[in-house]
Amino acid sequence: MGRSPCCEKAHTNKGAWTKEEDQRLIAYIKANGEGCWRSLPKAAGLLRCGKSCRLRWINYLRPDLKRGNFTEEEDELIIKLHELLGNKWSLIAGRLPGRTDNEIKNYWNTHIKRKLLARGVDPQTHRPLNAAAADHHSQLQAPRRFAAAAASAGHPHHHPDHFAVLSNSPEACSHSSDDEPSSATPPPPPRHLGIDLNLSISLAPYQPQSEQLKQEEEDDAAATTTTTASGAGSNATAVCLCLNRLGLHGGEVCSCGRGGAPSMQASTHMFRFITPLGGGHNSTSTTMT
DNA sequence: AACAGTTTCAACCGCTATCCC
DNA sequence: GGGGATAGCGGTTGAAACTGT
């Protein structure tokens, strides 16, 4: 039996795209928008698989792509996000406007891995290499927990890219590490690379962007912090995790607070670091830099 | 200049998640 | 609720570009 092929392979081109194919695809999407990828090739007059068209558009032809070398700030942001999310390239890409998951994945494998190794840091675990060797078992799981939690908590009405990063949320907290026995008093939160890792990720209810922006405008009494209706409860402070809030340049990419940045997707890929009121001092955002 | 080895990155493949009937 | 169709994701591949000898 098996799956039906994603397209009629006998009559499709493969390999590198020609300029003419690119032009056809661009023209079609400009005229009709991104729609059903499966039917697009035929409609656009392309002898390509829909999947291939989608990939070409997303990774190469999209007008909002940045292209060019990664900046030092982007490097560090990728490293930090990878530490939190693991190999969730699309989620990481969601925090880097103009970059694609494929681009980041390639960049990770070709540049950042080596950079971390040169620093003596294990690229998978983000731990010092000798320490990583020491407790092999526990390291395998640590950096993936956040992403795993987010993925496994999948609710059909939650947009997959919308989850909050919660702290001190008992049901959400998956950070009690395997290498430390659980006890009545939880161990102090670990810190890595200047990030307060007293965090975990859970899904936040998805809202359509306009609704979300409206909500955020309402909630936006405090410029950089908002409360959410998520499971963190009412006394949690949410801190935006977009570029400028991470202390990086390029504040224009942030549209999470209000509609200021034109058409950036940042608000549709929102992470929030939530720290408890009172004790938090917004420590998450301040320690991220 | 020619060749071999290495690096980069666009594209493909297979799988899972989600949608829709 | 079940099953097929579709979209999206992450891992892998391989050709092109680059570097060293």
Side-chain angles (χ1 to χ4, degrees):
Chain A
M1 296 284 269
R3 297 164 60 86
S4 60
C6 70
C7 53
E8 187 54 63
K9 294 196 175 187
H11 304 295
T12 55
N13 291 340
K14 288 175 84 173
W17 280 63
T18 66
K19 283 189 176 179
E20 192 190 339
E21 286 177 313
D22 283 349
Q23 289 309 315
R24 275 179 187 264
L25 182 57
I26 291 168
Y28 181 85
I29 291 178
K30 271 185 182 171
N32 302 285
E34 295 177 40
C36 172
W37 291 110
R38 189 178 170 90
S39 60
L40 184 148
K42 199 175 180 182
L46 287 162
L47 293 175
R48 289 276 178 176
C49 158
K51 232 177 170 180
S52 180
C53 293
R54 177 185 157 271
L55 218 60
R56 183 65 177 171
W57 174 254
I58 287 174
N59 288 332
Y60 200 80
L61 299 175
R62 244 172 47 196
D64 58 328
L65 290 181
K66 197 181 268 183
R67 314 218 61 83
N69 295 336
F70 282 75
T71 64
E72 193 61 35
E73 285 88 355
E74 284 176 314
D75 276 18
E76 294 305 318
L77 180 59
I78 291 168
I79 291 167
K80 285 168 181 171
L81 289 171
H82 186 273
E83 182 171 6
L84 287 167
L85 300 167
N87 294 0
K88 297 291 172 188
W89 305 116
S90 63
L91 292 178
I92 294 171
R95 304 310 317 151
L96 285 124
R99 302 294 188 186
T100 70
D101 53 354
N102 205 35
E103 192 178 11
I104 292 169
K105 178 173 59 181
N106 282 333
Y107 188 66
W108 176 269
N109 286 325
T110 56
H111 291 88
I112 298 183
K113 260 188 181 175
R114 250 179 283 161
K115 190 175 178 175
L116 290 179
L117 286 171
R119 290 181 188 173
V121 174
D122 187 299
Q124 276 308 310
T125 63
H126 296 266
R127 291 176 152 201
L129 278 170
N130 49 1
D135 60 351
H136 177 70
H137 174 68
S138 59
Q139 62 167 306
L140 285 174
Q141 297 166 28
R144 300 173 185 271
R145 287 191 193 116
F146 301 108
S152 64
H155 183 286
H157 299 298
H158 289 163
H159 189 286
D161 288 347
H162 285 70
F163 51 83
V165 182
L166 307 173
S167 72
N168 297 358
S169 169
E171 75 281 6
C173 181
S174 61
H175 204 75
S176 59
S177 61
D178 294 345
D179 34 317
E180 288 167 1
S182 59
S183 62
T185 53
R191 284 172 179 268
H192 277 288
L193 300 172
I195 304 176
D196 181 352
L197 286 180
N198 185 17
L199 301 164
S200 64
I201 294 173
S202 73
L203 289 166
Y206 169 67
Q207 295 174 296
Q209 185 167 359
S210 57
E211 218 180 299
Q212 184 181 344
L213 286 174
K214 191 176 150 197
Q215 176 71 43
E216 283 169 6
E217 279 176 8
E218 288 170 9
D219 292 347
D220 207 20
T224 59
T225 63
T226 62
T227 56
T228 72
S230 72
S234 57
N235 59 345
T237 302
V239 180
C240 169
L241 179 57
C242 46
L243 286 179
N244 52 343
R245 306 272 167 84
L246 282 168
L248 304 178
H249 305 317
E252 74 282 357
V253 302
C254 176
S255 63
C256 61
R258 51 202 66 73
S263 75
M264 277 304 175
Q265 307 148 320
S267 65
T268 64
H269 297 276
M270 178 63 61
F271 298 102
R272 293 179 184 284
F273 276 38
I274 299 180
T275 59
L277 280 176
H281 310 294
N282 288 340
S283 60
T284 309
S285 64
T286 55
T287 53
M288 286 294 286
T289 56

